[in-house]
Amino acid sequence: MAKKTLESRQDIEVLVARFYGRVRQDELIGPIFNDVARVHWDEHIPKIQNFWADLLLGENNYHGRPFPPHIPLGLKVEHFERWLELFFLTVDEMFEGQKADEVKMRALNIGRNFLANIQHLESRS
Ligand code: HEM
């Protein structure tokens, strides 16, 4: 089947739903969402869909600060690597083109920033 271009809200919704479907079953990072943070998926998924729709489509529906919820989770480099691996896999499975490249680049940059910020906070404590 031809891949889509990740240019619509619906494409983003499908990507996010599939990605977290994978995340919650993953043996390394699934427990962080399910047991450590006890994520309410009904709330988390729409929030993340808004987050990416703001970045990719210029919507203005995510109102929050993405970094703080990550601070107490004890995240290490391997958690970020797995998160990004699953994200890239899910993007590439269904999408191609400029927006598909952009979403991967943005996720990589955000992941690097989060990890650097976490390491910085840990080095001071
Ligand atoms: C690598 C790039 C990542 C991006 C772009 C990202 C993005 C986000 C965003 C936008 C939120 C919502 C924040 C809010 O407004 O409440 C969030 C929450 C969260 N993220 Fe991440 N995240 C990343 C990595 C990770 C990793 C590696 C983990 C764990 C393995 C993780 C676990 C969580 C958890 C548990 C929450 C709180 C969920 C909730 O209670 O709704 N994130 N993330």
Side-chain angles (χ1 to χ4, degrees):
M1 212 171 70
K3 293 186 181 176
K4 305 192 80 183
T5 52
L6 201 57
E7 285 168 313
S8 69
R9 171 85 200 188
Q10 202 207 345
D11 286 352
I12 291 172
E13 289 179 359
V14 170
L15 168 65
V16 171
R18 289 240 341 215
F19 171 61
Y20 287 101
R22 276 207 165 105
V23 163
R24 60 204 293 184
Q25 289 173 40
D26 185 80
E27 59 182 18
L28 179 65
I29 64 171
I32 294 177
F33 286 82
N34 294 320
D35 306 331
V36 180
R38 296 184 179 276
V39 167
H40 296 104
W41 294 100
D42 298 354
E43 294 163 22
H44 185 71
I45 288 179
K47 200 193 295 178
I48 302 294
Q49 288 166 337
N50 286 337
F51 174 79
W52 287 114
D54 281 14
L55 292 183
L56 294 179
L57 307 179
E59 291 185 5
N60 187 20
N61 295 310
Y62 171 77
H63 308 292
R65 291 162 63 220
F67 179 61
H70 298 87
I71 298 173
L73 301 177
L75 299 180
K76 305 279 176 250
V77 65
E78 59 265 29
H79 299 121
F80 283 93
E81 283 171 355
R82 180 66 60 84
W83 191 107
L84 288 164
E85 183 189 333
L86 296 179
F87 193 75
F88 278 40
L89 193 79
T90 312
V91 172
D92 289 338
E93 197 174 68
M94 285 182 290
F95 301 101
E96 65 187 1
Q98 200 184 320
K99 292 282 183 191
D101 292 342
E102 182 184 340
V103 80
K104 289 186 285 182
M105 193 199 68
R106 283 180 177 258
L108 182 61
N109 287 335
I110 295 167
R112 282 185 178 144
N113 269 317
F114 281 6
L115 182 62
N117 288 337
I118 285 168
Q119 288 169 340
H120 178 68
L121 290 173
E122 282 172 358
S123 74
R124 292 193 312 173
S125 63

